[in-house]
Amino acid sequence: MKNGKRLTVNEINAIKKSIPSLNVSDYLRVKRNVNSLTLVHRYTNQQLEVPVAL
């Protein structure tokens, strides 16, 4: 499932604020909601739901 988009700078900062230990460079955005981003890992295709305030 490689249909993810690159993250914007604002999204990266919001993700780092929400989950500081996450390596953001390994993830692509699949879906953007009001309060959360759905990310997919570049290599393992593991999905991750991140609660953020954009």
Side-chain angles (χ1 to χ4, degrees):
M1 189 175 138
K2 292 284 189 206
N3 61 351
K5 304 275 189 276
R6 292 178 63 187
L7 294 162
T8 65
V9 174
N10 290 342
E11 289 169 345
I12 289 171
N13 291 334
I15 293 167
K16 282 183 179 174
K17 211 178 285 185
S18 179
I19 308 175
S21 62
L22 188 70
N23 187 3
V24 182
S25 62
D26 288 342
Y27 285 89
L28 297 168
R29 185 183 76 238
V30 177
K31 193 166 64 176
R32 182 181 0 203
N33 295 330
V34 178
N35 294 325
S36 68
L37 292 169
T38 304
L39 307 178
V40 65
H41 197 275
R42 284 180 196 267
Y43 310 116
T44 63
N45 288 338
Q46 177 184 2
Q47 285 205 354
L48 180 68
E49 190 86 18
V50 182
V52 293
L54 292 175

